[in-house]
Amino acid sequence: MRYLRLPMRPLRTMVVAGALLLGVALAPTPVHGDKIIVDRIETRPSILPDQIRVRALVSATQTGGEVVEAPTDPKSKQTELKVKAGGTSPPFLLGAFEHADAELSIVVAIPTTLDFESDFDAMTEALDAELFEPLARMGARVRVQVLGYGADITGSKGLQRADAARKELRKLYVDTSSEEIELVEVVGRSVKQAGAGLKKPRNKDAIARGVVILVSRGIPNVTEEEKTAITKAGLAADQASVRIHTIGYSPSPDGKYHPVRPLLALGELSRRSNGTFRWVKTEGGWRAAIAQVTKEIARAHVVTFFAPTGELEGKKLSVTMPLGTATLTSDAVTILAARCGYDSCDARAYCVKAECVARAIEQKGKLGTVLLFGGVGVGALVLLVGVMTVVTRRRARATAGGIPGQTFAPGVPGAYPHAPPLAQAGAAGAAPVAAAAQVPVGGPALLVLTGPATGQRIPVRHGLSIGKAPGSDLDLSHDGYASGNHAQIVFEGGAWMLYDRNSTNGTFSNGVRITHTRLDHGMTVRLGSTEVRFMVG
């Protein structure tokens, strides 16, 4: 492939730069630009009877790497992101990666070569402030490896917490050797490490994402052999579900001409792996480019919906989103059979921490029938005792000045015999409520911080309903900003989850509007204008 030589330097710069941003890169087919991709998809047996749960990680970016947020229709207040699954449009919950039950394995590869000596401090300081510090705030679910490449590859030995990786970043130094390891080797090792994190997530219920961030000046005078190797490396990353986000650096001494040809190799790596390319043109441009990468990672969309078991197996899922007057459409991704870790669960089980958990005891023969009816009799007796206990405690609470009209479960959370029924399947954003899940012994509760019930502790159970509708466990009928069926709490995947039920004024977790989030001890939640705090123990 020969590059076109133009007589005017500025014009040549514009032509080559345009080719880079459009994704011409090392191949003649333009692919890069505005795009939306389904980054990861997983299907698991759900806690809902005869239902599977489908979760997908979706990323949308513009040319140059700017993140595209899912717009909301101002009239209906519904997101304009649309999901097609097997020819249907299922109702879904929409969240962001930074607030979801998700893990990230990320490898950051930065040059330690002599030609970066004057820029090394500015580059590492920007990485520390704009990438590592925000990742550290996400906690243990983010694991990072730092690689420096010059004459050899140095840095941390494996994936570790972001706060530990920051220390490894500060240990890197410029290599004064004139030798430099090949870029393809750096990419191969980085993709392998990020992919290993995907295969062995710490939280087996989390949806995982693998990312490589590669900083480079590119490859000058690239050969045909190098072109082929770069293309293969990008395709291998895509096959491993690892996205390569490249940051090309080509500052101009006079501010008029940027040597961009070597960066074409970086554009090819990003294009082939479905990642993004960003271009740092000035010595002070590091922070903006790196902050943009961090936003792309944190604000990736998490789409969650439920479907009947077997209905979508082998069918395609795609996502669309408006961008100005155009519409971004992802490639169609195959929905695989629901699996729990490496296994599949039968119809009587659902998935918790990559293990199948039975819903009920299987009945066999006459003995099973006897046990069944015996169990029903015992259950009725227990239920009667439970109802009497509830009534007694309710009266005691009313005498003590409790909230009238609220009935809470005594004893173990999740053992309450009257869990609310499953929300209608056609209701957009409906929370996944089913029969009581297996939950740990303890005393989680919502501490009411505002309103007439200030100071009350509401025991949390699976299926706890919140809103203005009659019979809500947390009654918000006094709150003019709350909806009838505002939110719901369920126990899923070994954790307490809060789901917004398409409320008008939203649900906020620690000040951020959410569609669903995991509840942790001490977390403050605002529903309408009412604030509560989730407490454990």
Side-chain angles (χ1 to χ4, degrees):
M1 178 178 176
R2 294 180 178 272
Y3 294 107
L4 181 63
R5 292 186 177 274
L6 300 175
M8 298 177 62
R9 178 174 285 184
L11 180 59
R12 179 177 62 188
T13 301
M14 288 189 293
V15 171
V16 178
L20 178 64
L21 294 178
L22 288 175
V24 175
L26 303 179
T29 306
V31 176
H32 233 38
D34 302 339
K35 66 178 183 179
I36 185 170
I37 65 168
V38 178
D39 189 47
R40 294 274 289 176
I41 185 171
E42 66 165 29
T43 310
R44 293 188 176 181
S46 168
I47 194 172
L48 306 180
D50 302 317
Q51 296 275 309
I52 60 169
R53 184 191 68 183
V54 181
R55 283 196 300 178
L57 274 175
V58 179
S59 299
T61 52
Q62 293 180 267
T63 301
E66 183 64 33
V67 177
V68 181
E69 301 278 4
T72 301
D73 186 293
K75 294 182 179 179
S76 65
K77 297 185 179 180
Q78 296 291 316
T79 176
E80 295 190 63
L81 183 146
K82 304 298 181 186
V83 176
K84 288 286 186 181
T88 64
S89 300
F92 61 89
L93 298 165
L94 183 65
F97 182 89
E98 62 184 331
H99 303 301
D101 191 13
E103 284 196 0
L104 173 67
S105 299
I106 180 170
V107 178
V108 184
I110 61 177
T112 56
T113 51
L114 194 59
D115 59 343
F116 264 86
E117 184 174 22
S118 61
D119 306 291
F120 192 77
D121 288 343
M123 175 182 62
T124 53
E125 287 172 6
L127 282 166
D128 184 57
E130 303 296 341
L131 178 67
F132 285 78
E133 186 176 338
L135 292 181
R137 290 198 293 268
M138 293 189 193
R141 63 195 184 96
V142 175
R143 291 182 291 166
V144 185
Q145 182 174 19
V146 179
L147 295 181
Y149 64 94
D152 199 356
I153 297 180
T154 58
S156 53
K157 300 301 181 183
L159 295 166
Q160 53 191 180
R161 289 182 61 132
D163 48 3
R166 296 178 74 180
K167 298 177 182 178
E168 296 295 332
L169 175 69
R170 294 163 187 154
K171 292 179 183 178
L172 293 181
Y173 58 90
V174 173
D175 186 350
T176 57
S177 172
S178 59
E179 298 180 8
E180 183 177 343
I181 198 167
E182 290 189 3
L183 192 63
V184 172
E185 183 177 344
V186 177
V187 171
R189 185 178 298 190
S190 301
V191 169
K192 182 178 180 180
Q193 288 294 95
L198 289 178
K199 295 176 182 177
K200 295 181 179 180
R202 292 189 173 185
N203 179 1
K204 295 180 180 179
D205 281 321
I207 186 169
R209 188 180 189 194
V211 171
V212 169
I213 297 178
L214 175 68
V215 180
S216 175
R217 289 182 183 269
I219 303 177
N221 304 316
V222 61
T223 65
E224 292 296 330
E225 184 179 357
E226 288 173 324
K227 294 175 190 176
T228 302
I230 285 291
T231 298
K232 287 183 177 179
L235 291 172
D238 185 48
Q239 186 68 26
S241 297
V242 175
R243 309 299 171 211
I244 303 176
H245 299 306
T246 54
I247 300 177
Y249 184 52
S250 61
S252 170
D254 56 10
K256 297 180 181 179
Y257 172 63
H258 295 273
V260 296
R261 281 185 187 171
L263 302 184
L264 295 175
L266 304 182
E268 177 74 350
L269 280 171
S270 294
R271 183 170 76 96
R272 294 295 185 178
S273 68
N274 262 321
T276 54
F277 168 83
R278 291 170 178 84
W279 185 6
V280 178
K281 303 177 185 179
T282 65
E283 294 180 357
W286 289 107
R287 282 182 174 265
I290 294 168
Q292 204 177 66
V293 177
T294 304
K295 183 179 178 181
E296 193 278 334
I297 293 170
R299 299 303 299 167
H301 305 295
V302 181
V303 174
T304 305
F305 64 91
F306 297 82
T309 302
E311 183 178 277
L312 298 179
E313 184 177 341
K315 296 183 180 180
K316 300 292 185 179
L317 179 143
S318 61
V319 180
T320 60
M321 182 192 299
L323 177 60
T325 57
T327 300
L328 301 179
T329 303
S330 74
D331 290 338
V333 179
T334 301
I335 302 173
L336 301 177
R339 301 191 67 81
C340 188
Y342 296 102
D343 303 317
S344 57
C345 303
D346 62 26
R348 298 178 300 278
Y350 60 98
C351 188
V352 177
K353 295 189 180 300
E355 294 184 0
C356 297
V357 178
R359 298 182 188 281
I361 300 175
E362 186 177 2
Q363 306 164 29
K364 292 185 179 180
K366 295 182 179 179
L367 178 60
T369 304
V370 172
L371 291 175
L372 172 63
F373 283 100
V376 170
V378 173
L381 179 60
V382 172
L383 178 60
L384 178 61
V385 173
V387 170
M388 292 176 64
T389 303
V390 170
V391 172
T392 302
R393 292 190 177 184
R394 183 178 177 183
R395 289 175 177 173
R397 202 164 40 243
T399 304
I403 306 174
Q406 290 190 330
T407 304
F408 306 117
V412 180
Y416 187 62
H418 302 299
L422 173 66
Q424 294 297 320
V433 182
Q438 295 182 2
V439 299
V441 176
L446 295 179
L447 175 64
V448 183
L449 302 178
T450 61
T454 297
Q456 292 288 328
R457 292 176 65 93
I458 313 300
V460 171
R461 61 173 179 80
H462 176 71
L464 183 140
S465 58
I466 303 171
K468 298 169 71 172
S472 296
D473 295 307
L474 175 53
D475 183 8
L476 299 184
S477 57
H478 65 278
D479 190 338
Y481 293 92
S483 298
N485 296 301
H486 196 102
Q488 201 144 34
I489 295 177
V490 299
F491 188 78
E492 183 181 39
W496 292 103
M497 301 293 294
L498 171 69
Y499 286 85
D500 180 85
R501 296 185 63 182
N502 198 30
S503 63
T504 301
N505 294 305
T507 299
F508 293 79
S509 170
N510 291 342
V512 179
R513 185 164 184 168
I514 56 96
T515 55
H516 67 288
T517 187
R518 174 174 176 162
L519 291 171
D520 295 315
H521 177 68
M523 179 182 290
T524 300
V525 176
R526 176 163 59 84
L527 310 113
S529 63
T530 302
E531 290 192 352
V532 298
R533 179 169 295 153
F534 181 74
M535 309 292 290
V536 178

